[in-house]
Amino acid sequence: MSESAHRALTLQIDGMSCVACAHQVEQVLGKLPGVRASVNFASAKAKVEFSPEHVQSADLIAAVTRAGFGASEIGELEAEALDERSRKEERDWQAQRTRAVWALLATAPFMVQMVAMFGADLLSPAHDDLLPRAWQWALASLVQFWAGSRFYRAAWNSLRGGSANMDVLVVLGTGSAYLYSTVVWLLDLHDHVYFEASAAIVTLILCGRLLEARAKRRTSSAIGALLRLKPKRARLERDGQVIEVDAASVKVGDVFVVAAGEAVPVDGEVIAGESSVDESMLSGESLPVPKRPGQQVHAATLNQNGVLRARATGVGADTLLARIIRMVDEAQGSKAPIQHLVDRVAAVFVPTVVAIAVLTLGLTWWLSGEFATALNHAVAVLVIACPCSLGLATPTAIMVGTGLSARAGILIRNAGVIEQARQLRALVLDKTGTLTQGRPDVTALITPQPADAPRLLAWAAALETGSAHPLAKAIIEAAGRRELALPEVQGFETLPGMGVRGHIDGHEVRLGAPRWVGDGLAAEAWPAGLAEGIDEARATGQTVVVLAVDGLPFGAIAIADPVRPGAREAVRQLLDQGIEVVMLTGDNARTAQVVARQCGISQFHAEVLPEDKAREVRRLQAIHGPHVGMVGDGINDAPALASADVSFAIGGGSDVAVEAADLVLVHGDLRHVAAAIDLSRATLRKIRQNLFFAFIYNVLGIPLAAFGLLNPVLAGAAMALSSVSVVSNSLLLNRWRPKGGR
């Protein structure tokens, strides 16, 4: 089956109670022909790839439904759909709360009795009944079969689907205690009853689920916050008038007007007016960005002063905001490599716990001769071993981390990048457009005869019209300012890393690096003063391109590209993190040396071709292992970005570079590279802490329960607290801030 035949969709999964449920849904979907699925327990979403030749989306939903879960297809993310989902979750939460409140009221009469029982000996409760057993049975039945009915439904669906989840453990534990106590009461035996344990455990788990659900919703708030930024209305110019329309109806090419204080409705290019635009909601930058004709504005940014007229260039799903939302959603729904350990544990966890509980029941009954004591121990084992916290440990931290990064102007494509970024030992930086602003300007025209300068610039601009390089734009803009007429170019050709060439007025013309244009030429072939002028420009850190006509140098153009603000600070932060920084550029050695010195970089390589950049990445990987990153912005950086273990793209760079990268720096601030690495380390610390909390409950709790050192009610409380502690610990990640307050 070809890769192109695949279709991808996202399913919202309802009814999952633990990571074992997520594993079951993955298995159910994976058994269908040509289907690959990844289910995220925390977000309750399944990312599915399938071949329409074998199955349809209805088949996927039907398979999940047969397994006892609910499923619905999620289309394009919209604020209205998210709000409806939130309202449904709120209604479900209110219903759960009602059941939990009634369960608490029904369990309350047991409290006095439980205090008296635990007061005698916490580990060996007394056997006196303060409540008539008929009352105990009635109250416990209400809790067990009404308040706790969801556990029975979920357990049955899980077993019917061929696996066992956390609800099976709850039903086995509390059901065994309830059934045994009912038999003792009906037969009027003199053994102790455990109605209080079955009721208290169900109540504690219900309360824990409420707290867990509320906390989980806070971990996914980033998507909702981004969706609500989408402007609802736009003002378009139509037939000389300005009319207000729905922002969703704007088409590419429409001219829209944004007054002071209004949000930009769609992405566009300014064609008239000047203003400052607050882009903090997209980039994390607090300072307004000046906008003038020719510059880009983005949907949801806020025009602060002045009136802007702009032509729509990106609408609907093609706006920067929409792409950010998609990337955050995909990252939050993906799995970090460390999650696969949890998945393997979940696959065998519940059956293993059931086996331990049965073994505990048998051995304790045989050694003590008391079935009630053995049942008490077995129930405690079943209740303490809830795998919920295991399933929440990784995805909740990932969801908080990716939401934080989006608000800081850092877009992460998938959760695996978070784990890889923290391990970086070396980082390769492109120069033009990455360390420098990527908005170069022509500073000098170097020709033996000053009268040749207009022809030099016009021919160079004519050649560069077909190029997407940042230097090409500078040359074209310089020719435009001088209102030069550009000649027609025949046989245009681009040579990546070298330059461009073509034919003008019957002459073979080249424009590019001096080493390429003048390759093989003797020193005397260079016109007087041209080589010296090139050397002087290079000595000040300027980039120089040479125009050759019929193989002979004609003139040179000096171009300056200032270093990005904060580039030196970004390099210092990376070095402080213990990361080796290397600069690569296709520019000449003198210019590279000047820029490297300005940025505080000691290692750099100049006159590097695109394939050489990828080769340098692989060389560093041979030294540091799979821990090498790359930051770039241009088409020529794509091979190196693809070769790197973690790749960063400048948000304003080429689409090819952005598509090849793992992380996108929306605002182009290099300090966000260090921030992204710092956030990845903070997120992984939270994941490890969460996994520690999750495992320690079971590693310590199961043996304590098996040996009778943990009462079932306390086991239920510990189990509920384990999930809440994991989610709460993930939410503490919200305290993270980029260094320097950015």
Side-chain angles (χ1 to χ4, degrees):
M1 180 174 57
S2 65
E3 199 67 29
S4 61
H6 277 97
R7 184 192 160 197
L9 60 77
T10 302
L11 295 177
Q12 185 74 44
I13 308 297
D14 296 319
M16 294 193 299
S17 59
C18 66
V19 68
C21 297
H23 183 73
Q24 181 183 351
V25 175
E26 274 189 5
Q27 285 187 320
V28 167
L29 291 171
K31 289 178 181 178
L32 298 176
V35 174
R36 292 195 298 267
S38 175
V39 180
N40 187 310
F41 169 55
S43 64
K45 292 179 181 177
K47 303 286 185 180
V48 187
E49 290 185 9
F50 66 98
S51 170
E53 297 176 1
H54 298 92
V55 295
Q56 300 297 319
S57 58
D59 300 322
L60 302 173
I61 294 173
V64 175
T65 303
R66 285 195 299 271
F69 302 94
S72 57
E73 185 173 353
I74 300 176
E76 185 69 28
L77 286 170
E78 294 293 343
E80 292 78 9
L82 190 72
D83 289 341
E84 178 57 34
R85 179 73 189 178
S86 297
R87 286 191 290 269
K88 180 179 180 300
E89 290 177 348
E90 183 66 25
R91 289 193 298 269
D92 292 343
W93 190 84
Q94 293 289 352
Q96 290 182 46
R97 187 177 68 172
T98 299
R99 290 177 181 263
V101 168
W102 278 104
L104 281 169
L105 292 174
T107 306
F110 289 113
M111 294 302 180
V112 175
Q113 177 170 289
M114 291 170 66
V115 169
M117 291 166 59
F118 295 155
D121 187 340
L122 184 63
L123 301 179
S124 300
H127 290 253
D128 296 328
D129 290 325
L130 301 182
L131 284 174
R133 289 190 173 183
W135 290 19
Q136 293 186 43
W137 174 82
L139 293 172
S141 298
L142 176 67
V143 174
Q144 190 76 22
F145 300 114
W146 180 74
S149 59
R150 57 176 297 176
F151 298 127
Y152 284 87
R153 287 195 300 270
W156 167 247
N157 289 333
S158 177
L159 293 173
R160 189 182 63 179
S163 65
N165 63 3
M166 169 256 180
D167 297 293
V168 173
L169 298 182
V170 174
V171 168
L172 283 176
T174 61
S176 298
Y178 173 86
L179 182 60
Y180 172 79
S181 301
T182 301
V183 171
V184 170
W185 168 59
L186 290 176
L187 298 180
D188 197 22
L189 302 178
H190 296 290
D191 291 330
H192 179 65
V193 292
Y194 293 95
F195 288 124
E196 80 287 338
S198 68
I201 291 169
V202 169
T203 301
L204 285 168
I205 295 173
L206 287 173
C207 292
R209 290 274 183 91
L210 280 178
L211 295 173
E212 176 189 311
R214 183 64 79 187
K216 278 171 62 179
R217 289 173 65 184
R218 290 177 59 195
T219 65
S220 57
S221 61
I223 290 287
L226 289 170
L227 282 171
R228 292 180 184 92
L229 290 174
K230 281 189 173 183
K232 299 290 190 297
R233 309 294 291 174
R235 296 199 297 151
L236 298 185
E237 284 190 357
R238 294 272 174 86
D239 301 325
Q241 295 184 334
V242 177
I243 60 172
E244 187 171 309
V245 300
D246 191 325
S249 67
V250 180
K251 296 180 174 58
V252 173
D254 285 347
V255 175
F256 60 90
V257 178
V258 188
E262 291 183 345
V264 179
V266 296
D267 289 1
E269 180 181 352
V270 178
I271 57 177
E274 293 189 7
S275 183
S276 294
V277 176
D278 180 1
E279 297 185 340
S280 59
M281 65 283 293
L282 293 182
S283 66
E285 287 292 328
S286 57
L287 294 177
V289 181
K291 298 293 180 181
R292 55 182 59 89
Q295 294 185 313
Q296 295 291 316
V297 289
H298 299 290
T301 57
L302 186 65
N303 183 22
Q304 293 196 325
N305 48 64
V307 178
L308 294 175
R309 291 178 64 243
R311 181 173 287 106
T313 57
V315 300
D318 295 325
T319 64
L320 175 61
L321 176 63
R323 292 197 296 272
I324 289 173
I325 291 170
R326 281 198 301 272
M327 291 179 68
V328 173
D329 184 54
E330 289 169 3
Q332 291 192 340
S334 60
K335 290 185 178 182
I338 197 170
Q339 176 68 22
H340 297 307
L341 167 64
V342 176
D343 291 343
R344 289 195 296 270
V345 171
V348 298
F349 188 84
V350 173
T352 301
V353 170
V354 172
I356 293 173
V358 171
L359 185 62
T360 299
L361 178 67
L363 286 176
T364 306
W365 192 5
W366 178 57
L367 293 173
S368 67
E370 296 182 6
F371 179 77
T373 301
L375 179 64
N376 190 55
H377 295 183
V379 169
V381 169
L382 291 169
V383 172
I384 192 62
C386 167
C388 283
S389 53
L390 275 177
L392 294 168
T394 299
T396 52
I398 293 295
M399 292 169 75
V400 175
T402 51
L404 278 173
S405 68
R407 287 195 290 271
I410 306 163
L411 301 185
I412 300 174
R413 287 197 180 277
N414 60 72
V417 174
I418 294 178
E419 192 165 343
Q420 288 177 300
R422 72 175 184 89
Q423 300 174 332
L424 287 180
R425 298 176 186 170
L427 190 68
V428 175
L429 299 175
D430 173 53
K431 180 182 77 70
T432 304
T434 301
L435 283 166
T436 62
Q437 292 184 13
R439 294 192 296 271
D441 193 19
V442 172
T443 57
L445 301 174
I446 308 169
T447 56
Q449 301 296 327
D452 291 334
R455 181 185 175 195
L456 166 67
L457 184 57
W459 283 26
L463 280 173
E464 293 287 30
T465 301
S467 174
H469 196 281
L471 299 183
K473 186 176 181 180
I475 293 172
I476 294 169
E477 288 178 348
R481 288 194 298 269
R482 291 167 174 80
E483 299 182 348
L484 298 176
L486 305 186
E488 184 179 352
V489 179
Q490 303 289 334
F492 175 80
E493 185 181 3
T494 298
L495 286 83
M498 296 293 190
V500 293
R501 63 187 176 192
H503 289 82
I504 298 177
D505 295 340
H507 298 283
E508 196 266 343
V509 184
R510 286 187 178 191
L511 180 70
R515 60 183 168 81
W516 176 58
V517 172
D519 187 28
L521 290 178
E524 54 269 18
W526 289 81
L530 182 57
E532 291 79 1
I534 292 173
D535 289 340
E536 290 177 8
R538 283 175 164 181
T540 59
Q542 298 180 76
T543 298
V544 177
V545 293
V546 175
L547 183 79
V549 179
D550 294 328
L552 296 177
F554 178 79
I557 301 174
I559 302 170
D561 186 10
V563 170
R564 284 182 182 271
R568 186 178 184 88
E569 182 186 349
V571 171
R572 180 187 58 77
Q573 290 176 355
L574 291 167
L575 294 173
D576 289 345
Q577 290 178 342
I579 297 173
E580 178 184 345
V581 179
V582 180
M583 185 187 81
L584 300 182
T585 179
D587 215 334
N588 66 84
R590 288 187 180 179
T591 302
Q593 185 178 32
V594 171
V595 173
R597 185 169 61 249
Q598 291 175 348
C599 295
I601 298 174
S602 59
Q603 296 187 60
F604 67 91
H605 300 280
E607 301 183 1
V608 179
L609 299 176
E611 59 267 27
D612 294 331
K613 291 183 179 181
R615 191 176 297 116
E616 176 63 18
V617 169
R618 290 191 290 271
R619 184 190 71 80
L620 289 169
Q621 287 170 331
I623 298 172
H624 298 288
H627 310 298
V628 178
M630 167 75 187
V631 187
D633 75 307
I635 293 174
N636 61 340
D637 297 324
L641 290 169
S643 299
D645 301 296
V646 179
S647 50
F648 302 79
I650 300 298
S654 72
D655 289 341
V656 176
V658 171
E659 288 300 318
D662 299 312
L663 298 96
V664 179
L665 312 179
V666 175
H667 198 68
D669 190 336
L670 282 178
R671 286 169 289 193
H672 286 171
V673 176
I677 295 171
D678 184 61
L679 178 58
S680 74
R681 292 175 177 177
T683 303
L684 260 293
R685 281 196 298 272
K686 284 299 175 189
I687 290 175
R688 287 174 171 171
Q689 291 169 7
N690 288 347
L691 289 175
F692 171 78
F693 290 144
F695 278 113
I696 201 68
Y697 275 103
N698 292 314
V699 170
L700 295 179
I702 291 177
L704 289 174
F707 288 104
L709 301 177
L710 189 64
N711 184 275
V713 176
L714 293 180
M719 183 274 289
L721 288 173
S722 68
S723 296
V724 175
S725 65
V726 162
V727 178
S728 300
N729 188 53
S730 293
L731 290 171
L732 290 177
L733 189 59
N734 281 306
R735 296 179 178 178
W736 175 88
R737 293 291 182 274
K739 287 183 170 58
R742 298 187 64 79

